[in-house]
Amino acid sequence: QKEVEQNSGPLSVPEGAIASLNCTYSDRGSQSFFWYRQYSGKSPELIMSIYSNGDKEDGRFTAQLNKASQYVSLLIRDSQPSDSATYLCAVNGYNQGGKLIFGQGTELSVKP
Amino acid sequence: ETGVTQTPRHLVMGMTNKKSLKCEQHLGHNAMYWYKQSAKKPLELMFVYNFKEQTENNSVPSRFSPECPNSSHLFLHLHTLQPEDSALYLCASSPKREGLEQYFGPGTRLTVT
């Protein structure tokens, strides 16, 4: 089992729809969770961090964390073509010295 | 762009060349990282430095040699690379090593011919 797993996609949604990106992780001791956005040819950009169970909202983005299910998700409301990118889930690997473990990323395509 | 800069942004080198990548962070962070990102693959952690001390070497071949003279600067010295080393090399920094958010530089696109 991969330490951090994401559907590679591509996930295609129409403009204005809600995009839902999912991530599961294997280390039950993980405490910090991050979502990065990476445009093609660019470096990852931190867009959300979440540390406790529940929802965290920032503009059109909502991160959801369920530690019991070892699941973290990112919702993007009112999706725009400019949201088209690869989204990386990163988890604090508590049993690996606290370093971040990245998933392989989900490619999102928002169609006008 | 973030407070992490990298030079050069693009590099083409032959297998017998020696070159260095430079990273500088202006965020007052104490931890710095080198990652490799190949096409369609997850980010691969290469090295971690915390307060200038190397705390992680993720089984990286010796043709990659890191150097961290202070908490703001990080280098990756390259020599006798292979074509499969062609990738995007990313530098990142975080306030400390233990799992806090990391901020990435723009990366160096390396091509080994």
Side-chain angles (χ1 to χ4, degrees):
Chain A
Q1 181 190 5
K2 293 180 182 176
E3 294 174 278
V4 178
E5 196 149 5
Q6 299 178 249
N7 292 328
S8 59
L11 173 67
S12 183
V13 300
E15 184 175 357
I18 296 175
S20 178
L21 304 163
N22 304 315
C23 174
T24 58
Y25 59 95
S26 60
D27 186 350
R28 281 200 169 273
S30 298
Q31 298 179 343
S32 308
F33 306 85
F34 308 94
W35 283 99
Y36 287 82
R37 176 177 62 199
Q38 187 173 23
Y39 292 114
S40 180
K42 302 293 185 181
S43 63
E45 173 193 8
L46 179 67
I47 56 172
M48 288 289 283
S49 58
I50 187 166
Y51 303 96
S52 53
N53 280 329
D55 295 359
K56 179 181 178 182
E57 187 175 319
D58 183 0
R60 295 186 296 111
F61 299 98
T62 299
Q64 299 175 317
L65 175 61
N66 184 326
K67 290 185 179 179
S69 300
Q70 296 174 242
Y71 173 91
V72 58
S73 66
L74 179 71
L75 301 179
I76 306 175
R77 290 184 300 281
D78 188 24
S79 295
Q80 302 297 308
S82 59
D83 295 325
S84 298
T86 296
Y87 289 80
L88 304 174
C89 173
V91 176
N92 160 218
Y94 185 79
N95 289 326
Q96 298 198 28
K99 68 184 181 186
L100 287 187
I101 309 298
F102 285 84
Q104 73 272 31
T106 297
E107 183 183 350
L108 173 66
S109 177
V110 181
K111 304 294 187 185
Chain B
E1 299 244 321
T2 67
V4 182
T5 58
Q6 290 186 244
T7 54
R9 297 290 299 273
H10 300 273
L11 178 62
V12 179
M13 59 186 289
M15 294 196 296
T16 58
N17 290 158
K18 290 185 180 181
K19 296 287 184 184
S20 295
L21 309 185
K22 179 183 176 182
C23 175
E24 184 174 1
Q25 60 95 1
H26 311 274
L27 301 170
H29 290 169
N30 295 312
M32 297 186 77
Y33 311 78
W34 279 117
Y35 288 89
K36 175 184 178 182
Q37 189 175 40
S38 304
K40 304 299 183 185
K41 288 187 177 180
L43 281 167
E44 299 175 48
L45 179 65
M46 300 175 72
F47 301 104
V48 180
Y49 278 82
N50 197 31
F51 291 97
K52 304 189 303 176
E53 299 299 319
Q54 187 180 121
T55 56
E56 183 108 12
N57 177 337
N58 210 23
S59 302
V60 180
S62 59
R63 57 186 184 270
F64 295 92
S65 175
E67 178 189 0
C68 188
N70 54 60
S71 293
S72 298
H73 294 85
L74 186 64
F75 296 89
L76 188 63
H77 304 299
L78 315 171
H79 64 97
T80 58
L81 294 191
Q82 304 299 311
E84 60 265 28
D85 297 322
S86 299
L88 180 66
Y89 287 85
L90 292 160
C91 174
S93 71
S94 69
K96 59 179 181 178
R97 184 176 69 91
E98 287 77 20
L100 293 183
E101 63 271 19
Q102 295 178 17
Y103 296 89
F104 285 85
T108 295
R109 175 68 62 185
L110 173 67
T111 303
V112 181
T113 60

PDB file of all heavy atoms in Angstrom, chain A residues 5 15-16 20 29 52 54 56 58 63 66 68 71 73 76-77 85-86 94 97 104-105 112:
ATOM      1  N   GLU A   5      -2.006   8.079  -1.052  1.00  0.00           N
ATOM      2  CA  GLU A   5      -2.576   7.644  -2.321  1.00  0.00           C
ATOM      3  C   GLU A   5      -3.633   8.622  -2.809  1.00  0.00           C
ATOM      4  O   GLU A   5      -4.508   9.041  -2.055  1.00  0.00           O
ATOM      5  CB  GLU A   5      -3.180   6.248  -2.168  1.00  0.00           C
ATOM      6  CG  GLU A   5      -3.461   5.555  -3.468  1.00  0.00           C
ATOM      7  CD  GLU A   5      -3.332   4.036  -3.370  1.00  0.00           C
ATOM      8  OE1 GLU A   5      -3.105   3.524  -2.263  1.00  0.00           O
ATOM      9  OE2 GLU A   5      -3.460   3.386  -4.414  1.00  0.00           O
ATOM     10  N   GLU A  15     -16.917  24.067 -15.871  1.00  0.00           N
ATOM     11  CA  GLU A  15     -16.768  25.350 -15.184  1.00  0.00           C
ATOM     12  C   GLU A  15     -17.988  25.620 -14.309  1.00  0.00           C
ATOM     13  O   GLU A  15     -19.126  25.397 -14.716  1.00  0.00           O
ATOM     14  CB  GLU A  15     -16.593  26.465 -16.205  1.00  0.00           C
ATOM     15  CG  GLU A  15     -16.343  27.839 -15.604  1.00  0.00           C
ATOM     16  CD  GLU A  15     -16.050  28.893 -16.657  1.00  0.00           C
ATOM     17  OE1 GLU A  15     -15.978  28.549 -17.864  1.00  0.00           O
ATOM     18  OE2 GLU A  15     -15.867  30.067 -16.289  1.00  0.00           O
ATOM     19  N   GLY A  16     -17.716  26.066 -13.076  1.00  0.00           N
ATOM     20  CA  GLY A  16     -18.794  26.364 -12.142  1.00  0.00           C
ATOM     21  C   GLY A  16     -19.180  25.204 -11.239  1.00  0.00           C
ATOM     22  O   GLY A  16     -19.880  25.402 -10.239  1.00  0.00           O
ATOM     23  N   SER A  20     -13.944  17.595  -6.532  1.00  0.00           N
ATOM     24  CA  SER A  20     -13.655  16.888  -5.288  1.00  0.00           C
ATOM     25  C   SER A  20     -12.414  16.019  -5.481  1.00  0.00           C
ATOM     26  O   SER A  20     -12.395  15.129  -6.328  1.00  0.00           O
ATOM     27  CB  SER A  20     -14.853  16.011  -4.896  1.00  0.00           C
ATOM     28  OG  SER A  20     -14.566  15.280  -3.717  1.00  0.00           O
ATOM     29  N   GLY A  29      -0.397   7.838  12.706  1.00  0.00           N
ATOM     30  CA  GLY A  29       0.153   8.881  13.567  1.00  0.00           C
ATOM     31  C   GLY A  29       0.310  10.230  12.881  1.00  0.00           C
ATOM     32  O   GLY A  29       0.758  11.188  13.497  1.00  0.00           O
ATOM     33  N   SER A  52      -6.730  19.320  12.188  1.00  0.00           N
ATOM     34  CA  SER A  52      -7.693  18.654  13.055  1.00  0.00           C
ATOM     35  C   SER A  52      -8.890  18.191  12.231  1.00  0.00           C
ATOM     36  O   SER A  52      -9.161  18.716  11.139  1.00  0.00           O
ATOM     37  CB  SER A  52      -8.142  19.590  14.181  1.00  0.00           C
ATOM     38  OG  SER A  52      -8.605  20.804  13.669  1.00  0.00           O
ATOM     39  N   GLY A  54     -12.442  17.553  10.621  1.00  0.00           N
ATOM     40  CA  GLY A  54     -13.486  18.478  10.241  1.00  0.00           C
ATOM     41  C   GLY A  54     -13.144  19.210   8.959  1.00  0.00           C
ATOM     42  O   GLY A  54     -12.358  18.735   8.157  1.00  0.00           O
ATOM     43  N   LYS A  56     -12.104  22.845   6.860  1.00  0.00           N
ATOM     44  CA  LYS A  56     -11.437  24.144   6.911  1.00  0.00           C
ATOM     45  C   LYS A  56     -11.663  24.823   5.570  1.00  0.00           C
ATOM     46  O   LYS A  56     -11.343  24.263   4.533  1.00  0.00           O
ATOM     47  CB  LYS A  56      -9.939  23.989   7.191  1.00  0.00           C
ATOM     48  CG  LYS A  56      -9.200  25.317   7.231  1.00  0.00           C
ATOM     49  CD  LYS A  56      -7.721  25.105   7.475  1.00  0.00           C
ATOM     50  CE  LYS A  56      -6.963  26.427   7.455  1.00  0.00           C
ATOM     51  NZ  LYS A  56      -5.503  26.231   7.644  1.00  0.00           N
ATOM     52  N   ASP A  58     -11.303  28.141   2.924  1.00  0.00           N
ATOM     53  CA  ASP A  58     -10.513  29.319   2.549  1.00  0.00           C
ATOM     54  C   ASP A  58     -10.944  29.716   1.146  1.00  0.00           C
ATOM     55  O   ASP A  58     -10.527  29.100   0.167  1.00  0.00           O
ATOM     56  CB  ASP A  58      -9.022  29.003   2.594  1.00  0.00           C
ATOM     57  CG  ASP A  58      -8.167  30.228   2.291  1.00  0.00           C
ATOM     58  OD1 ASP A  58      -8.721  31.319   2.056  1.00  0.00           O
ATOM     59  OD2 ASP A  58      -6.920  30.098   2.284  1.00  0.00           O
ATOM     60  N   ALA A  63     -10.912  22.130   2.783  1.00  0.00           N
ATOM     61  CA  ALA A  63     -10.215  20.881   3.085  1.00  0.00           C
ATOM     62  C   ALA A  63     -11.010  20.142   4.148  1.00  0.00           C
ATOM     63  O   ALA A  63     -11.556  20.747   5.067  1.00  0.00           O
ATOM     64  CB  ALA A  63      -8.804  21.159   3.583  1.00  0.00           C
ATOM     65  N   ASN A  66     -10.570  13.438   8.033  1.00  0.00           N
ATOM     66  CA  ASN A  66     -11.168  12.406   8.867  1.00  0.00           C
ATOM     67  C   ASN A  66     -10.042  11.449   9.247  1.00  0.00           C
ATOM     68  O   ASN A  66      -9.669  10.569   8.477  1.00  0.00           O
ATOM     69  CB  ASN A  66     -12.268  11.672   8.100  1.00  0.00           C
ATOM     70  CG  ASN A  66     -12.981  10.651   8.955  1.00  0.00           C
ATOM     71  OD1 ASN A  66     -12.377  10.016   9.823  1.00  0.00           O
ATOM     72  ND2 ASN A  66     -14.266  10.479   8.727  1.00  0.00           N
ATOM     73  N   ALA A  68      -9.925   9.162  11.569  1.00  0.00           N
ATOM     74  CA  ALA A  68     -10.359   7.777  11.825  1.00  0.00           C
ATOM     75  C   ALA A  68     -10.375   6.967  10.537  1.00  0.00           C
ATOM     76  O   ALA A  68     -10.001   5.792  10.517  1.00  0.00           O
ATOM     77  CB  ALA A  68     -11.736   7.776  12.483  1.00  0.00           C
ATOM     78  N   TYR A  71      -8.322   9.841   5.860  1.00  0.00           N
ATOM     79  CA  TYR A  71      -8.825  10.383   4.601  1.00  0.00           C
ATOM     80  C   TYR A  71      -8.812  11.902   4.683  1.00  0.00           C
ATOM     81  O   TYR A  71      -9.226  12.491   5.687  1.00  0.00           O
ATOM     82  CB  TYR A  71     -10.264   9.856   4.433  1.00  0.00           C
ATOM     83  CG  TYR A  71     -11.055  10.399   3.291  1.00  0.00           C
ATOM     84  CD1 TYR A  71     -11.054   9.765   2.056  1.00  0.00           C
ATOM     85  CD2 TYR A  71     -11.862  11.521   3.452  1.00  0.00           C
ATOM     86  CE1 TYR A  71     -11.810  10.229   1.018  1.00  0.00           C
ATOM     87  CE2 TYR A  71     -12.623  12.002   2.406  1.00  0.00           C
ATOM     88  CZ  TYR A  71     -12.603  11.341   1.193  1.00  0.00           C
ATOM     89  OH  TYR A  71     -13.363  11.809   0.155  1.00  0.00           O
ATOM     90  N   SER A  73      -9.591  15.372   2.013  1.00  0.00           N
ATOM     91  CA  SER A  73     -10.087  15.758   0.704  1.00  0.00           C
ATOM     92  C   SER A  73     -10.001  17.263   0.510  1.00  0.00           C
ATOM     93  O   SER A  73      -9.842  18.022   1.466  1.00  0.00           O
ATOM     94  CB  SER A  73     -11.533  15.286   0.511  1.00  0.00           C
ATOM     95  OG  SER A  73     -12.387  15.965   1.409  1.00  0.00           O
ATOM     96  N   ILE A  76     -13.206  22.129  -4.373  1.00  0.00           N
ATOM     97  CA  ILE A  76     -13.061  23.426  -5.035  1.00  0.00           C
ATOM     98  C   ILE A  76     -14.436  23.809  -5.577  1.00  0.00           C
ATOM     99  O   ILE A  76     -14.969  23.148  -6.474  1.00  0.00           O
ATOM    100  CB  ILE A  76     -12.031  23.375  -6.186  1.00  0.00           C
ATOM    101  CG1 ILE A  76     -10.692  22.827  -5.689  1.00  0.00           C
ATOM    102  CG2 ILE A  76     -11.846  24.774  -6.786  1.00  0.00           C
ATOM    103  CD1 ILE A  76      -9.655  22.628  -6.793  1.00  0.00           C
ATOM    104  N   ARG A  77     -15.032  24.842  -5.003  1.00  0.00           N
ATOM    105  CA  ARG A  77     -16.357  25.300  -5.445  1.00  0.00           C
ATOM    106  C   ARG A  77     -16.207  26.261  -6.611  1.00  0.00           C
ATOM    107  O   ARG A  77     -15.175  26.931  -6.760  1.00  0.00           O
ATOM    108  CB  ARG A  77     -17.077  25.984  -4.289  1.00  0.00           C
ATOM    109  CG  ARG A  77     -17.502  25.051  -3.176  1.00  0.00           C
ATOM    110  CD  ARG A  77     -18.295  25.837  -2.114  1.00  0.00           C
ATOM    111  NE  ARG A  77     -17.485  26.905  -1.548  1.00  0.00           N
ATOM    112  CZ  ARG A  77     -16.562  26.709  -0.619  1.00  0.00           C
ATOM    113  NH1 ARG A  77     -16.314  25.505  -0.157  1.00  0.00           N
ATOM    114  NH2 ARG A  77     -15.869  27.727  -0.147  1.00  0.00           N
ATOM    115  N   ALA A  85      -4.944  22.061 -13.004  1.00  0.00           N
ATOM    116  CA  ALA A  85      -3.589  21.854 -12.498  1.00  0.00           C
ATOM    117  C   ALA A  85      -3.534  20.453 -11.895  1.00  0.00           C
ATOM    118  O   ALA A  85      -4.540  19.735 -11.856  1.00  0.00           O
ATOM    119  CB  ALA A  85      -3.241  22.897 -11.423  1.00  0.00           C
ATOM    120  N   THR A  86      -2.366  20.091 -11.414  1.00  0.00           N
ATOM    121  CA  THR A  86      -2.238  18.859 -10.632  1.00  0.00           C
ATOM    122  C   THR A  86      -2.232  19.231  -9.161  1.00  0.00           C
ATOM    123  O   THR A  86      -1.527  20.166  -8.751  1.00  0.00           O
ATOM    124  CB  THR A  86      -0.940  18.113 -11.010  1.00  0.00           C
ATOM    125  OG1 THR A  86      -1.026  17.698 -12.372  1.00  0.00           O
ATOM    126  CG2 THR A  86      -0.759  16.879 -10.131  1.00  0.00           C
ATOM    127  N   TYR A  94       4.518  10.853  10.580  1.00  0.00           N
ATOM    128  CA  TYR A  94       4.969  10.884  11.976  1.00  0.00           C
ATOM    129  C   TYR A  94       5.979   9.793  12.274  1.00  0.00           C
ATOM    130  O   TYR A  94       6.925   9.986  13.015  1.00  0.00           O
ATOM    131  CB  TYR A  94       3.754  10.745  12.902  1.00  0.00           C
ATOM    132  CG  TYR A  94       4.091  10.894  14.366  1.00  0.00           C
ATOM    133  CD1 TYR A  94       4.277  12.152  14.921  1.00  0.00           C
ATOM    134  CD2 TYR A  94       4.234   9.773  15.175  1.00  0.00           C
ATOM    135  CE1 TYR A  94       4.584  12.295  16.256  1.00  0.00           C
ATOM    136  CE2 TYR A  94       4.542   9.911  16.523  1.00  0.00           C
ATOM    137  CZ  TYR A  94       4.711  11.173  17.059  1.00  0.00           C
ATOM    138  OH  TYR A  94       5.029  11.303  18.366  1.00  0.00           O
ATOM    139  N   GLY A  97      10.077  10.431  10.995  1.00  0.00           N
ATOM    140  CA  GLY A  97      10.823  11.621  11.377  1.00  0.00           C
ATOM    141  C   GLY A  97      10.127  12.909  11.054  1.00  0.00           C
ATOM    142  O   GLY A  97      10.748  13.965  11.055  1.00  0.00           O
ATOM    143  N   GLN A 104       0.961  11.051  -5.478  1.00  0.00           N
ATOM    144  CA  GLN A 104       1.397  11.207  -6.867  1.00  0.00           C
ATOM    145  C   GLN A 104       0.674  12.334  -7.593  1.00  0.00           C
ATOM    146  O   GLN A 104       1.069  12.718  -8.692  1.00  0.00           O
ATOM    147  CB  GLN A 104       1.229   9.890  -7.638  1.00  0.00           C
ATOM    148  CG  GLN A 104      -0.200   9.522  -7.967  1.00  0.00           C
ATOM    149  CD  GLN A 104      -0.854   8.727  -6.862  1.00  0.00           C
ATOM    150  OE1 GLN A 104      -0.558   8.879  -5.685  1.00  0.00           O
ATOM    151  NE2 GLN A 104      -1.755   7.829  -7.255  1.00  0.00           N
ATOM    152  N   GLY A 105      -0.370  12.876  -6.954  1.00  0.00           N
ATOM    153  CA  GLY A 105      -1.071  14.003  -7.551  1.00  0.00           C
ATOM    154  C   GLY A 105      -2.278  13.593  -8.368  1.00  0.00           C
ATOM    155  O   GLY A 105      -2.302  12.513  -8.958  1.00  0.00           O
ATOM    156  N   PRO A 112     -14.348  24.946 -19.909  1.00  0.00           N
ATOM    157  CA  PRO A 112     -15.226  26.127 -20.015  1.00  0.00           C
ATOM    158  C   PRO A 112     -16.581  25.745 -20.577  1.00  0.00           C
ATOM    159  O   PRO A 112     -16.721  24.771 -21.316  1.00  0.00           O
ATOM    160  CB  PRO A 112     -14.480  27.048 -20.998  1.00  0.00           C
ATOM    161  CG  PRO A 112     -13.109  26.508 -21.111  1.00  0.00           C
ATOM    162  CD  PRO A 112     -13.169  25.055 -20.743  1.00  0.00           C
TER     163      PRO A 112
END
